[in-house]
Amino acid sequence: MIGALLTGLILFAFLVVCETEPTHAGPDRMGDSHGQPKLAHLTSNWAFQLVNDTLAFSRADSFCRGQFSSLADIDQSDEREGVMELLRQTGLRTPIWVRNPSKAANKPVALSKQYSPFLSLSFPRESREGFVRVNMSFPALSSVSVCVRVQWNSEWNEVSTIFSYAAPIFTNEFQLRGQVDMQGRILLALIIHGKHLPYKASFLNDGAWHHICVMWRRNSGHWAIYVDGDKRDLGSDTDTSRDIYGDGILILGQDQDSFGGNFTEPFFGNITDLNVWNMTLETRHVLALNACSSIDQEVVFSWNPDHLIKHPVVKEEQVLLFCPAVLQQMELQGCRTLQGWSDQLPLLDLTDCSDPLPFICRSSRERYLKMKQMRDSQSLQPSAFMNHLMKLSNKSQAVLGQQTSELSSLAQASALLDVSVQALEDTQEELQPTDMVSLIQLLSLAADIPTLPLADATNHSQDRVQELSQHFISVADSIISEDNALKWQAIKEVVNGPMDVVKSIDRMVTSLSPRLMAETDRLTIHSPNIKLEVQQQRLQEGSKGSSFCGPETDKHTNVDCISVPHHKIQDLHNNGFHRLTLVNTWYGSLRPLFNPGENITMVPTVTDGSQRYLGTVLGSSVISTTVLGDDQPVSTAVHFKLQHRAQNPTGTVYDPVCAFWDFELTPEAGGWWNTKGCEVVSKQYGYTVCYCNHTTNFALLLQVYEAQRSPENEKALQVLTFIGCGVSLCGLLFTFILFIAVGVPKSDRTTVHKNLIVALGIAELLLMCSDWASANEAACFVVTALLHLFFMASFSWMLVEGLLLWSKVVSVNISEDRRMKLYYIIGWGLPVLIVGVTLAVSVDEYKADGHCWLNVKTDTIWAFVGPVIFVLAVNAVVLCRVVMVTVSSARRRTKMLSPSSASKMQTFDLTWAVTRPVLILLPVLGLTWLCGVLVHLSVVIAYVFIALNAFQGLYIFLVYAVYNSEVRNAIKRIKEKRKALSFTNCSQPTSFLPSQRAPISSWGHSALTPSSPETSETSGPPSSASTSLVIKNESFRKESFVTFSLKPASGNQVVQLTGFKPSGTTLTTKC
């Protein structure tokens, strides 16, 4: 027997369907060792292989998957023609399995989507009198099926009756009862026509809900018992002479020793979802019912508490039951089959998925031909590994014609894996690509072998399961060793990649976990490249969280770990689960097996222009977790920490991204990396912590960037930014003080300047303080919001500057008051609106990680970038318009010049006409920020960008304060006033001047007349010019005034100061 199995393993190196490459697109026929023809048909794109061995649908699908192909799909015209031609050539008339592409994938989903409420009946242990009667009349039944959900009281160990049906003529007509054995199992037995069948079918007495279906058919006497969808017992040794009598009474929870009375052998626990059919259910029906689907045909009684009569001690309770069919939409009718052809059209039907049928595997033409090439090479020159297998099996050559049914039990799979491990240990040479393909096929088929129910397991089979698991991991470890990196590239046209091995391990451990954990709560299997750990615990209040870590090494101090949070495990308990199984796996050698030249397509996360994106690579080990609640896969959130394993060449930097392998993404290629539902929690030197809202295989993808700036440049740019912001802040402050202090005439232009200065100044101050605030999460969030607000206000007022300038250049019929109201709405109202809406929509994704600014990895950053681009675009148009106007004015001026100087002046005026508005308007219109688009091109542009924008406040101070004519005129007026005051104080009698600080209200010029007081004493000849300056001094009374007289005297000008007092006294001073 073992020799035959060893021969079977050798055949995994070849195609199961053996053929020579045809010279035309037709089938090729070759007889195998059993004399059965096996055919393949090639088209331009596909290869179709007929497998005459009959298997159930799930096994057929598994076998094709093990051959790196899939069941044929006839929905596409080219595939349909290939299948039809292959069947025509073979003359096969029986139905075959075909794939249904619309069938939903069976994968874990959120717990909240898998539960349905049921009204259950509670039979308390405090009373032995509890029962429930089904209030309806039953017809005579030639076939009957009864399904019910039961939660057994784990403290009760005596014989109990789940339901009993008694007829007036015969009491023990149809009954289901159970009892607890010495191993703690609930054994079930049927009574049909008074015949008590043996206690054989069983389930664990674990306090959980179990789905039980029993059925009987008169014409064959066949009966069966299903537990949780699995057929646990069957037979045909019953009375077939009559139907089950009608007009009987169906009682739940008691045995009827007489018709409707004399109750004995009570049941204690909970019962719900009892249904009765006048038909014998098939396996597919039972599986559907176990998943909470319904079957309406031939139904006699459907669960309805209103049709029940309850004893007072029986209470009704609402319960939530695990119902995956609610989301998965299982097909109750069966699996898809091709029955034949009619007028070149396929005849499709649905058949019980457990029926054995032939099938066709479909693969790409390229994969098929590559497999054939590898098989031919192996047959001509077997590898050292294959030679050793043939030696172990006492065979001199490979025998073709492997039958798929030869690998159909755990014992056979365990034997094949055992000798594989022995051959791997004995062979000194490295595995060849054909050997790897052979072993990958073996793992795929072994992972899908059906297992016996746990209740039927023996100690011997338990040991075999653990041994199989050990050998399975050993073989997988040899395949994914780093030494095989180049060989994986050689077989990439056949095998999807190393994640195929990971998927096989996941399927194997998930399938065997109930058997593996039957006698222990923790199992660990450790190999050089794989660490597998299975944990199991009973769920209760206060259940702790679970964590798993990869192996510790001296080289890597940060260990790879994954954990399920405590509150998620508590949610499982709250949702009715009793037992939790965690399957955790760590793979340390997968990273080198992925083709380094094959870039992982992903959107860059660093978008500030400081680094050039080069690509994305796998940068860590792969770690996975599978959560089983009562042996059902469920999805829950996990945290994991993975260390960075990729090398960091000089001049490049990495940015980690949390990802998982999605087998449903591009399934023909075996899946691809996906980041949906995963996010980075924290980034540390050497490792990254991630959160994902589901369970699967996780890893870190490292986005590679070419660093555009050295650490020295980065430091210099940071220092330059801080210094520039400080200088800019001082310049803005001085400009604002000058606007207020020197009395610049009030206008809409100066008002807009002041608001821009305030907004930009506060933004610069917050930017300088942002690094200090980053240590506190709350403070950093507030600073981020304020930075967003005031930088948006700065750009809004820059937009207002552009609109105001446009109104000066282009005639706009709007009053100044209305215009300023609009400007205030744009300058302050619009930023508040943008920031408020952004916070309301994306408050959780608002701030970036590690610094106080908007999150550039989400769309939040567009709440700043979008308005800025709009402002810059509008202001660029305004600047162009202003330049055009100034150039036009310069041309008109040059036309007024003499022809001799026109040419030279025209060149100068035109140049200055373009340069002057650009220099003046750049700082207030914000157009220097356009350099930010180009900073990723060169570090020089980065320096220019920081210099232009960090010193924007200083630039505004120089252009709009130091060289502003309005400011300079205001300062000049102040100087003139002070000079006038100095003249007033010149030679003034101290007794006369009340105060040198007396305010001067007005100045006025007047020509002196002969009647004026000044001319009475200082009049001269008419030829002597005289100028008077009259000063009204309001510190005196109204009739007081002072005059300055300037007269020529003896060639010198004399200033005569005359003051008149109210009493008429005159004081004269000459200077």
Side-chain angles (χ1 to χ4, degrees):
M1 177 64 181
I2 297 298
L5 293 175
L6 293 174
T7 302
L9 175 60
I10 298 173
L11 301 177
F12 279 113
F14 315 127
L15 287 176
V16 173
V17 180
C18 304
E19 69 286 305
T20 60
E21 184 177 356
T23 57
H24 55 85
D28 177 51
R29 184 184 302 266
M30 178 179 290
D32 63 6
S33 60
H34 300 273
Q36 296 178 340
K38 296 191 177 183
L39 298 174
H41 174 70
L42 272 67
T43 66
S44 58
N45 297 319
W46 304 105
F48 299 92
Q49 306 170 52
L50 174 64
V51 182
N52 274 330
D53 204 357
T54 58
L55 296 175
F57 181 85
S58 60
R59 292 284 291 139
D61 184 58
S62 170
F63 176 80
C64 289
R65 186 167 55 247
Q67 303 304 312
F68 315 113
S69 57
S70 62
L71 282 175
D73 179 8
I74 61 172
D75 290 330
Q76 302 296 327
S77 60
D78 56 342
E79 298 185 41
R80 182 166 58 246
E81 292 173 0
V83 171
M84 182 174 65
E85 178 64 21
L86 179 58
L87 293 178
R88 184 184 65 81
Q89 293 289 337
T90 60
L92 185 66
R93 302 297 181 184
T94 61
I96 63 171
W97 295 121
V98 291
R99 186 167 65 96
N100 187 356
S102 63
K103 187 174 182 179
N106 184 12
K107 56 183 180 180
V109 292
L111 292 177
S112 59
K113 299 178 181 178
Q114 300 187 72
Y115 281 89
S116 292
F118 285 85
L119 184 65
S120 71
L121 303 175
S122 177
F123 296 80
R125 189 176 176 183
E126 290 74 17
S127 173
R128 301 176 63 91
E129 299 179 358
F131 73 92
V132 173
R133 175 175 175 175
V134 178
N135 188 23
M136 68 167 294
S137 176
F138 287 89
L141 301 172
S142 59
S143 296
V144 63
S145 296
V146 181
C147 291
V148 63
R149 297 182 189 273
V150 174
Q151 187 181 37
W152 200 278
N153 189 322
S154 57
E155 298 178 357
W156 180 250
N157 55 11
E158 297 182 14
V159 175
S160 300
T161 303
I162 299 175
F163 69 80
S164 62
Y165 177 79
I169 303 175
F170 198 84
T171 55
N172 291 326
E173 189 72 344
F174 195 69
Q175 184 180 135
L176 175 64
R177 53 200 300 154
Q179 67 175 8
V180 181
D181 67 357
M182 299 299 294
Q183 286 76 35
R185 299 178 301 174
I186 308 297
L187 302 178
L188 300 176
L190 275 174
I191 297 178
I192 305 175
H193 295 331
K195 181 177 181 178
H196 198 305
L197 299 173
Y199 286 100
K200 186 176 179 182
S202 65
F203 59 89
L204 293 177
N205 185 16
D206 53 7
W209 283 95
H210 294 276
H211 184 253
I212 302 172
C213 285
V214 296
M215 55 208 64
W216 172 79
R217 185 189 306 124
R218 173 188 174 184
N219 58 8
S220 62
H222 174 79
W223 61 270
I225 300 177
Y226 288 79
V227 178
D228 296 330
D230 294 327
K231 186 181 291 186
R232 300 295 175 87
D233 197 10
L234 75 163
S236 57
D237 49 344
T238 60
D239 181 9
T240 60
S241 61
R242 63 179 179 86
D243 295 343
I244 292 178
Y245 291 126
D247 299 324
I249 296 175
L250 179 61
I251 297 294
L252 304 182
Q254 295 282 359
D255 178 21
Q256 306 175 59
D257 280 351
S258 62
F259 183 63
N262 292 333
F263 296 143
T264 60
E265 299 176 347
F267 167 82
F268 298 119
N270 299 306
I271 292 178
T272 188
D273 197 24
L274 176 79
N275 298 276
V276 182
W277 294 268
N278 186 14
M279 60 180 287
T280 303
L281 298 177
E282 300 176 6
T283 301
R284 58 190 174 98
H285 296 138
V286 176
L287 291 172
L289 291 166
N290 182 50
C292 303
S293 295
S294 60
I295 298 177
D296 297 329
Q297 62 265 33
E298 301 291 340
V299 63
V300 177
F301 172 75
S302 183
W303 180 250
N304 187 346
D306 294 336
H307 295 165
L308 303 176
I309 300 175
K310 301 183 293 295
H311 188 275
V313 300
V314 179
K315 304 299 181 183
E316 293 183 354
E317 295 180 353
Q318 283 285 346
V319 295
L320 288 175
L321 297 185
F322 187 75
C323 295
V326 173
L327 185 72
Q328 296 172 5
Q329 298 297 318
M330 297 179 60
E331 297 181 9
L332 306 183
Q333 296 85 356
C335 296
R336 202 181 194 195
T337 57
L338 175 63
Q339 301 289 332
W341 303 87
S342 175
D343 298 329
Q344 304 298 315
L345 295 177
L347 299 177
L348 301 176
D349 197 6
L350 295 173
T351 306
D352 191 332
C353 298
S354 61
D355 289 350
L357 294 177
F359 53 96
I360 293 177
C361 296
R362 181 213 66 184
S363 64
S364 67
R365 179 186 178 95
E366 292 76 12
R367 177 171 290 176
Y368 170 85
L369 294 177
K370 183 65 176 179
M371 283 283 290
K372 184 179 184 302
Q373 177 185 353
M374 296 174 66
R375 181 203 66 203
D376 293 341
S377 174
Q378 184 74 300
S379 62
L380 294 175
Q381 188 175 3
S383 65
F385 174 75
M386 283 297 170
N387 277 324
H388 192 64
L389 279 178
M390 289 188 289
K391 181 179 178 180
L392 291 174
S393 59
N394 296 320
K395 300 292 182 179
S396 59
Q397 60 181 0
V399 180
L400 305 181
Q402 159 76 3
Q403 289 291 315
T404 59
S405 58
E406 290 182 10
L407 190 65
S408 58
S409 68
L410 286 177
Q412 295 169 346
S414 179
L416 287 172
L417 291 169
D418 184 20
V419 295
S420 299
V421 171
Q422 183 179 348
L424 289 170
E425 292 175 349
D426 296 342
T427 305
Q428 300 298 323
E429 298 182 16
E430 295 181 353
L431 286 174
Q432 297 303 310
T434 52
D435 302 332
M436 293 176 57
V437 172
S438 164
L439 294 174
I440 293 170
Q441 289 179 303
L442 171 60
L443 294 181
S444 179
L445 290 176
D448 291 324
I449 292 177
T451 61
L452 291 175
L454 183 59
D456 300 334
T458 63
N459 292 334
H460 179 68
S461 63
Q462 291 296 108
D463 296 338
R464 181 169 291 166
V465 167
Q466 293 191 12
E467 182 181 0
L468 181 146
S469 303
Q470 292 276 2
H471 292 159
F472 197 104
I473 297 300
S474 297
V475 173
D477 185 274
S478 301
I479 298 173
I480 65 172
S481 171
E482 293 185 15
D483 299 334
N484 296 327
L486 295 179
K487 301 180 184 64
W488 276 102
Q489 301 305 315
I491 63 175
K492 64 180 181 180
E493 296 181 21
V494 175
V495 184
N496 292 321
M499 296 305 292
D500 277 1
V501 178
V502 172
K503 188 174 184 179
S504 295
I505 294 176
D506 289 344
R507 297 202 312 270
M508 183 274 296
V509 181
T510 301
S511 175
L512 297 182
S513 61
R515 303 277 294 274
L516 290 171
M517 308 307 294
E519 300 176 356
T520 182
D521 292 334
R522 184 182 296 266
L523 173 68
T524 302
I525 302 176
H526 198 178
S527 65
N529 301 306
I530 302 173
K531 181 180 179 181
L532 170 68
E533 184 177 270
V534 186
Q535 306 173 20
Q536 184 170 279
Q537 60 174 298
R538 299 284 298 179
L539 293 177
Q540 56 189 358
E541 286 295 334
S543 296
K544 297 181 179 179
S546 175
S547 63
F548 161 78
C549 293
E552 298 182 6
T553 60
D554 297 334
K555 182 178 178 181
H556 301 287
T557 57
N558 297 315
V559 181
D560 301 323
C561 295
I562 190 168
S563 63
V564 179
H566 159 72
H567 66 277
K568 293 297 181 180
I569 292 182
Q570 193 61 43
D571 288 344
L572 293 173
H573 172 68
N574 297 337
N575 283 321
F577 283 100
H578 296 82
R579 185 177 67 257
L580 173 68
T581 305
L582 294 170
V583 180
N584 302 301
T585 319
W586 171 88
Y587 305 92
S589 61
L590 293 182
R591 186 183 61 82
L593 306 185
F594 284 87
N595 184 6
E598 185 178 9
N599 181 41
I600 300 173
T601 304
M602 187 167 292
V603 178
T605 58
V606 178
T607 57
D608 61 358
S610 61
Q611 299 160 351
R612 186 165 66 90
Y613 176 65
L614 299 179
T616 302
V617 298
L618 177 62
S620 71
S621 301
V622 174
I623 197 166
S624 71
T625 189
T626 301
V627 179
L628 303 175
D630 296 335
D631 299 329
Q632 297 287 338
V634 294
S635 183
T636 185
V638 296
H639 286 92
F640 60 92
K641 180 185 75 173
L642 293 173
Q643 56 182 311
H644 306 164
R645 293 179 176 267
Q647 298 296 322
N648 190 0
T650 304
T652 61
V653 293
Y654 291 134
D655 186 54
V657 178
C658 303
F660 67 96
W661 187 266
D662 188 353
F663 289 101
E664 301 302 322
L665 199 63
T666 62
E668 291 293 337
W672 198 242
W673 294 108
N674 198 342
T675 60
K676 185 177 181 180
C678 294
E679 61 183 25
V680 174
V681 176
S682 65
K683 302 176 186 178
Q684 305 295 334
Y685 180 76
Y687 68 91
T688 298
V689 179
C690 299
Y691 167 85
C692 288
N693 60 9
H694 55 274
T695 54
T696 184
N697 303 283
F698 303 102
L700 288 180
L701 302 181
L702 299 182
Q703 294 193 335
V704 187
Y705 297 88
E706 180 183 0
Q708 300 294 299
R709 308 165 194 154
S710 64
E712 294 78 11
N713 282 327
E714 287 288 346
K715 185 66 175 178
L717 290 172
Q718 290 178 2
V719 173
L720 182 62
T721 300
F722 190 83
I723 295 175
C725 288
V727 174
S728 180
L729 186 60
C730 293
L732 293 170
L733 182 61
F734 290 154
T735 305
F736 188 79
I737 293 174
L738 280 175
F739 273 39
I740 300 298
V742 303
V744 176
K746 185 178 180 181
S747 65
D748 53 359
R749 184 173 58 181
T750 56
T751 301
V752 172
H753 287 345
K754 291 176 184 177
N755 281 275
L756 173 60
I757 290 169
V758 170
L760 190 58
I762 296 176
E764 299 273 7
L765 179 62
L766 289 169
L767 185 61
M768 295 175 66
C769 301
S770 60
D771 285 342
W772 298 327
S774 60
N776 185 289
E777 189 70 20
C780 190
F781 187 90
V782 173
V783 169
T784 299
L786 292 177
L787 275 172
H788 188 194
L789 174 63
F790 284 100
F791 268 117
M792 280 305 310
S794 301
F795 278 97
S796 297
W797 283 106
M798 292 177 195
L799 175 63
V800 171
E801 292 274 7
L803 297 176
L804 178 62
L805 190 60
W806 183 269
S807 69
K808 303 297 183 181
V809 175
V810 181
S811 177
V812 178
N813 296 323
I814 183 172
S815 65
E816 182 175 340
D817 291 339
R818 291 178 58 192
R819 189 165 58 206
M820 283 309 303
K821 291 179 181 179
L822 176 63
Y823 291 163
Y824 276 112
I825 293 175
I826 296 175
W828 293 112
L830 190 59
V832 171
L833 178 63
I834 292 175
V835 174
V837 171
T838 306
L839 285 172
V841 172
S842 58
V843 64
D844 294 332
E845 301 177 346
Y846 185 72
K847 188 185 77 67
D849 296 329
H851 58 278
C852 304
W853 184 236
L854 300 179
N855 193 346
V856 299
K857 297 182 180 180
T858 63
D859 293 335
T860 306
I861 189 62
W862 286 101
F864 177 75
V865 175
V868 167
I869 292 176
F870 174 76
V871 170
L872 297 182
V874 172
N875 285 353
V877 173
V878 171
L879 181 61
C880 292
R881 179 61 176 166
V882 170
V883 170
M884 291 172 60
V885 171
T886 54
V887 169
S888 177
S889 300
R891 286 177 176 174
R892 286 196 298 270
R893 286 198 304 271
T894 56
K895 291 180 180 180
M896 301 173 61
L897 299 175
S898 60
S900 59
S901 60
S903 177
K904 184 182 298 184
M905 292 300 296
Q906 183 178 10
T907 302
F908 175 79
D909 282 357
L910 290 179
T911 303
W912 181 240
V914 174
T915 305
R916 185 173 182 274
V918 170
L919 292 176
I920 294 175
L921 297 177
L922 276 179
V924 293
L925 296 184
L927 298 179
T928 53
W929 283 73
L930 290 173
C931 296
V933 181
L934 308 175
V935 293
H936 65 282
L937 298 179
S938 172
V939 69
V940 176
I941 299 179
Y943 278 102
V944 172
F945 173 73
I946 291 180
L948 289 176
N949 293 283
F951 292 94
Q952 186 177 8
L954 177 62
Y955 197 35
I956 290 176
F957 172 70
L958 294 175
V959 175
Y960 290 91
V962 177
Y963 296 105
N964 188 340
S965 59
E966 291 182 345
V967 174
R968 298 176 72 175
N969 289 337
I971 295 175
K972 185 177 180 180
R973 286 195 297 270
I974 293 176
K975 290 181 178 180
E976 290 177 350
K977 291 179 182 179
R978 291 179 178 175
K979 186 176 181 180
L981 287 175
S982 67
F983 278 117
T984 305
N985 295 332
C986 180
S987 302
Q988 175 93 16
T990 57
S991 61
F992 175 79
L993 294 175
S995 173
Q996 292 184 354
R997 296 182 181 178
I1000 299 173
S1001 63
S1002 62
W1003 292 65
H1005 292 273
S1006 64
L1008 296 178
T1009 61
S1011 60
S1012 66
E1014 298 90 330
T1015 59
S1016 61
E1017 294 185 9
T1018 59
S1019 60
S1023 60
S1024 302
S1026 176
T1027 303
S1028 298
L1029 181 62
V1030 181
I1031 304 173
K1032 294 181 180 179
N1033 193 332
E1034 293 184 358
S1035 63
F1036 306 112
R1037 285 187 290 270
K1038 292 183 179 180
E1039 52 275 10
S1040 302
F1041 61 89
V1042 178
T1043 64
F1044 285 99
S1045 298
L1046 181 61
K1047 298 181 180 181
S1050 303
N1052 296 323
Q1053 287 189 348
V1054 177
V1055 177
Q1056 177 177 294
L1057 177 63
T1058 305
F1060 296 91
K1061 299 178 67 174
S1063 61
T1065 305
T1066 302
L1067 297 176
T1068 303
T1069 303
K1070 293 183 179 181
C1071 298

